[in-house]
Amino acid sequence: MSDSEFECSDLSGSESEESVTSGSDLEYSDNFDGNIDSSKEWCEINTENPPPPPPRFRFLATPGCTFTLNDMFDPLEYFRLFFDIKLINIIVKETNRYAMQQPKRTRKHWDSITTEDIYVFLTICIIQGIIHKPEERMYWNTNEIFLTPIFSKLMPRNRFLQINKNLHFNNNDNYDSTTNPDSKINKIWSIVANLNKKFSHLYVPERDISVDESLMLYKGRLSWKQYIPLKRSRFGVKFFMLCESASGYLYNFIIYTGKGTSFNEKYQEMPIASQIVLSLADPLLGKGYCLTTDNYYTSPQLADYLISCQTDLCGTVRTNRRDVPGVIHNKKLEKGEIVAVQRDKVMILKWQDKRAVTLLSTFHNPVKVNKEMRDGSVQSKPQVVIDYNHTMGGVDLLDQHLRDYPVTRKGGKKYYKKIFFHLVDICLYNAFVLYKKNGGEKDNLGFRMRLIERLMEEYHTETRGNKQNRPKSFGPLRLTERHFPVFVPPTEKKDAPTRYCAVCCKRNKKTGKKLRKETRYYCKDCDVALCAVPCFGIYHTKADF
């Protein structure tokens, strides 16, 4: 009898009672060396009397946080794990550099920013994710209907828009291919590399992890923009992500930039789908993790390689994949029927539900269990289907929470700024997960509210010497209070400075004229420059100004 015939007879359900009993409770086999002989033939399994499931690999990692904090319940401490002073200094340095590279007429009003400015800027962005308004300028609107005074107190509108316009993360004149392997994301690479490293170093995930793609909404012009009709965003930048299944914590990610996307060189001989999975999971291989993937990534070849790395795999698989036996692809089944094949530790199962569902697993057998449905009915399903549904949703869970209070706004033409704010969203969620792992009791909204309060306490001061910090007159008070024209106060550079008249500028904007009208007069209470006649009277008597 040949070796293949012997293997087939063993896998068809003719094991001894002793082997079934010992194998069903086995979590890990010390006799299994982790190597698989892919030259062996697939053998169909007797689904009525299936063999015991292959043992899982022993889980060697120690899940949990790898850091300690002075106050384990302070949201600011968790946020600064990701946006520490080193990363903020990069943003400050490159934003100031980029602003000074602009034409002279543009940069003459620029005041260099500090680390406090960036923290306050991020604070405003987080608040904007909670309080949604159609246009960004409306957060500083003085109309009582839309008035939200906190934004003006934190930072003047023009200052915020200046920082947002000049926000930058690298030196445009200095591209180093040795530190940035992907030139297409050079403008954001310093942030991507910094945060990706922190994600994987601050936390060790639990045994069940999942790999899937996520789409960040972006409709601007970009050569590597993706169109995925089944995704909610449909158009955008694609991220390949590895998340913890239970919490959605993002452990590692790769931004897809087309054909030149950089993956781990160790796996360059593998198919692209396998390169993605192995590049993301590389730090976790050899530790007994269980990886869940969908049918884009799952293949017998990937399963064989992961087994050699002491890592289990479970996922849906396409029946036309290379090395999937023909019986799986061709056999027609009635509803509820199962056909399964096995080769050493790898099992492929096809189950007919409303439509055919095909899965691959390295630690399941084709046993069926009763599952209570939401409507109270009981349905018989393969155990591998239930476990797949339970562990596949890590990336979907992350995507779901990123839409709760999004920092990223829909508009914006600069792809690298969109990616930056998307990463801020991810950092906020990862920080929240770590906070909950350490016993925090606040929910996602409560965590963000407390984070905003702590950021304001630490980094916002009422007067920091910025000339933009001028008192404002809110709402319709300018129409009822007593106002008097006075000269614009002198500055260090000019004894008799002038400013643009607010009424003239608004009138010219409506008519399409480009005339700039300057005046020496202004209203001290409103801090608005106005011509003495007739603009001063118009501004303080007409509501549309």
Side-chain angles (χ1 to χ4, degrees):
M1 181 181 293
S2 67
D3 291 341
S4 61
E5 290 174 345
F6 179 77
E7 290 290 341
C8 289
S9 62
D10 270 355
L11 290 172
S12 63
S14 59
E15 296 86 350
S16 67
E17 183 178 351
E18 180 181 355
S19 64
V20 173
T21 304
S22 60
S24 59
D25 298 326
L26 191 60
E27 183 71 12
Y28 171 81
S29 173
D30 289 320
N31 296 325
F32 186 72
D33 60 5
N35 296 315
I36 188 167
D37 184 2
S38 59
S39 64
K40 291 184 178 180
E41 295 181 3
W42 292 98
C43 304
E44 188 169 346
I45 303 173
N46 183 352
T47 57
E48 298 297 327
N49 183 24
R56 286 193 181 213
F57 292 110
R58 181 183 294 144
F59 186 52
L60 302 177
T62 305
C65 300
T66 60
F67 58 87
T68 55
L69 299 174
N70 294 328
D71 184 353
M72 300 300 284
F73 303 105
D74 182 4
L76 181 58
E77 296 277 352
Y78 291 93
F79 183 70
R80 285 192 297 207
L81 289 172
F82 304 103
F83 281 89
D84 55 14
I85 192 64
K86 182 178 179 181
L87 183 59
I88 295 295
N89 282 337
I90 293 174
I91 300 173
V92 169
K93 178 182 176 182
E94 298 304 336
T95 299
N96 284 326
R97 187 206 305 272
Y98 181 74
M100 297 310 295
Q101 291 173 347
Q102 303 309 302
K104 186 175 181 181
R105 59 184 172 80
T106 304
R107 71 171 185 262
K108 66 179 181 180
H109 300 296
W110 173 258
D111 288 333
S112 295
I113 61 172
T114 62
T115 56
E116 289 80 9
D117 288 321
I118 292 297
Y119 275 118
V120 173
F121 175 83
L122 292 174
T123 304
I124 293 174
C125 292
I126 297 170
I127 300 174
Q128 288 178 351
I130 300 173
I131 304 172
H132 178 73
K133 295 187 181 182
E135 297 179 4
E136 200 158 39
R137 288 176 176 268
M138 291 183 68
Y139 289 101
W140 286 265
N141 196 314
T142 57
N143 188 314
E144 285 189 338
I145 299 174
F146 305 106
L147 179 62
T148 314
I150 187 61
F151 292 97
S152 297
K153 291 180 180 178
L154 286 174
M155 184 178 287
R157 180 195 66 189
N158 290 344
R159 179 64 166 170
F160 177 86
L161 295 178
Q162 265 190 335
I163 295 175
N164 197 16
K165 179 181 178 180
N166 293 287
L167 194 63
H168 222 67
F169 315 104
N170 80 307
N171 184 358
N172 288 340
D173 301 327
N174 184 21
Y175 169 65
D176 186 1
S177 60
T178 59
T179 58
N180 177 6
D182 196 337
S183 60
K184 292 182 180 178
I185 54 174
N186 178 50
K187 289 181 179 292
I188 191 67
W189 177 255
S190 58
I191 307 298
V192 169
N194 187 295
L195 292 179
N196 218 352
K197 183 177 180 180
K198 289 173 181 173
F199 292 162
S200 57
H201 279 72
L202 292 172
Y203 179 70
V204 178
E206 297 175 0
R207 178 170 64 178
D208 292 319
I209 54 178
S210 61
V211 170
D212 202 355
E213 67 268 4
S214 175
L215 197 67
M216 182 200 76
L217 175 64
Y218 181 75
K219 293 188 177 180
R221 298 183 65 179
L222 194 64
S223 63
W224 35 280
K225 180 177 64 178
Q226 298 289 297
Y227 171 66
I228 305 178
L230 296 180
K231 294 290 185 181
R232 181 176 179 179
S233 300
R234 292 194 302 143
F235 294 92
V237 177
K238 183 158 69 174
F239 286 65
F240 296 115
M241 294 181 168
L242 185 150
C243 294
E244 184 183 64
S245 296
S247 66
Y249 178 89
L250 178 60
Y251 180 82
N252 199 359
F253 70 93
I254 297 171
I255 299 177
Y256 179 71
T257 58
K259 189 175 181 179
T261 305
S262 177
F263 300 113
N264 194 319
E265 293 183 355
K266 285 176 19 181
Y267 311 111
Q268 60 184 352
E269 301 300 326
M270 303 283 285
I272 291 295
S274 298
Q275 287 187 50
I276 295 168
V277 174
L278 296 173
S279 297
L280 290 171
D282 184 70
L284 303 177
L285 298 182
K287 299 179 182 179
Y289 275 92
C290 177
L291 191 60
T292 310
T293 58
D294 66 15
N295 60 23
Y296 175 73
Y297 309 97
T298 312
S299 67
Q301 182 183 7
L302 176 63
D304 293 344
Y305 188 90
L306 288 174
I307 289 173
S308 69
C309 298
Q310 306 286 308
T311 302
D312 280 310
L313 176 67
C314 176
T316 54
V317 63
R318 298 174 183 175
T319 58
N320 59 356
R321 285 280 193 193
R322 180 181 177 183
D323 206 23
V324 174
V327 65
I328 296 293
H329 180 71
N330 299 324
K331 192 167 184 178
K332 303 298 180 181
L333 303 174
E334 298 294 330
K335 185 172 181 178
E337 287 186 343
I338 291 177
V339 61
V341 296
Q342 188 155 357
R343 183 184 64 193
D344 281 354
K345 194 168 161 57
V346 183
M347 180 203 70
I348 300 179
L349 172 146
K350 183 178 179 180
W351 172 56
Q352 186 69 35
D353 192 27
K354 292 181 180 178
R355 59 184 181 85
V357 180
T358 308
L359 296 102
L360 179 150
S361 175
T362 61
F363 58 95
H364 283 96
N365 64 350
V367 67
K368 296 175 73 174
V369 296
N370 293 328
K371 173 72 174 177
E372 185 176 354
M373 310 305 291
R374 292 181 181 178
D375 59 1
S377 62
V378 177
Q379 184 178 353
S380 180
K381 291 185 176 183
Q383 182 66 51
V384 62
V385 173
I386 296 173
D387 290 345
Y388 171 82
N389 291 336
H390 181 68
T391 59
M392 185 56 205
V395 176
D396 292 336
L397 181 62
L398 172 64
D399 281 344
Q400 176 186 346
H401 283 288
L402 292 185
R403 290 183 173 87
D404 291 340
Y405 314 103
V407 172
T408 310
R409 295 187 68 84
K410 288 186 178 180
K413 297 181 180 179
K414 303 293 186 182
Y415 77 90
Y416 57 91
K417 290 184 184 178
K418 291 278 286 188
I419 293 176
F420 172 74
F421 288 119
H422 188 65
L423 292 176
V424 173
D425 270 326
I426 292 173
C427 289
L428 287 169
Y429 181 71
N430 273 3
F432 170 66
V433 172
L434 298 181
Y435 165 80
K436 295 294 285 185
K437 293 281 186 182
N438 286 319
E441 296 181 354
K442 295 183 182 295
D443 60 7
N444 195 2
L445 179 58
F447 175 84
R448 293 188 183 221
M449 295 290 288
R450 182 54 185 158
L451 173 61
I452 291 167
E453 294 172 358
R454 291 288 293 118
L455 284 167
M456 292 168 59
E457 291 172 8
E458 288 286 329
Y459 300 107
H460 177 254
T461 55
E462 292 298 330
T463 56
R464 297 208 310 269
N466 292 335
K467 64 184 180 182
Q468 289 89 345
N469 289 337
R470 303 184 178 110
K472 299 293 181 183
S473 180
F474 295 115
L477 298 179
R478 62 183 173 86
L479 307 177
T480 58
E481 294 181 344
R482 301 198 310 170
H483 303 267
F484 302 95
V486 296
F487 287 113
V488 176
T491 63
E492 295 180 359
K493 296 182 178 180
K494 291 184 178 181
D495 294 330
T498 59
R499 290 167 58 184
Y500 295 134
C501 172
V503 174
C504 291
C505 289
K506 188 167 184 178
R507 182 183 294 138
N508 293 335
K509 186 176 181 180
K510 288 182 177 180
T511 59
K513 297 180 180 180
K514 295 186 178 180
L515 176 67
R516 297 187 303 177
K517 185 69 177 291
E518 296 187 12
T519 177
R520 283 204 60 203
Y521 297 95
Y522 87 123
C523 176
K524 185 176 181 180
D525 293 329
C526 299
D527 189 33
V528 175
L530 299 161
C531 299
V533 179
C535 299
F536 197 91
I538 293 172
Y539 182 81
H540 291 99
T541 56
K542 293 189 177 182
D544 59 347
F545 280 95

